[in-house]
Amino acid sequence: DAALATLNLVQDALKRIEEGTFGKCLIDGGPIEEKRLEAIPWVPYCLKHEQLRENKNPHQIPTL
């Protein structure tokens, strides 16, 4: 399940590259931190919004 979830995130990131939106947070369109993208290139949210999402759903497995 984890491998499939990661594959889906990578495919979504490839779509964002094609659309020209890669590196922009899906929530507000702001930039995703460079170090965050270096560590996890397929991440769809900036750190601030990822933390807010995790706080809203603490029992859900967080995205990479």
Side-chain angles (χ1 to χ4, degrees):
D1 289 340
L4 183 58
T6 301
L7 177 60
N8 288 332
L9 290 169
V10 169
Q11 289 174 330
D12 290 345
L14 291 171
K15 288 178 190 172
R16 290 192 303 275
I17 290 171
E18 290 175 4
E19 296 168 353
T21 59
F22 179 79
K24 296 179 183 177
C25 180
L26 291 183
I27 293 180
D28 68 356
I32 297 173
E33 300 80 4
E34 187 175 335
K35 288 187 182 238
R36 185 164 166 76
L37 285 172
E38 288 174 8
I40 312 166
W42 53 84
V43 70
Y45 306 106
C46 66
L47 183 59
K48 171 186 164 186
H49 287 113
E50 183 66 36
Q51 290 172 337
L52 288 172
R53 293 180 77 244
E54 288 176 9
N55 289 339
K56 277 184 160 181
N57 300 308
H59 301 292
Q60 184 181 25
I61 298 172
T63 59
L64 300 174

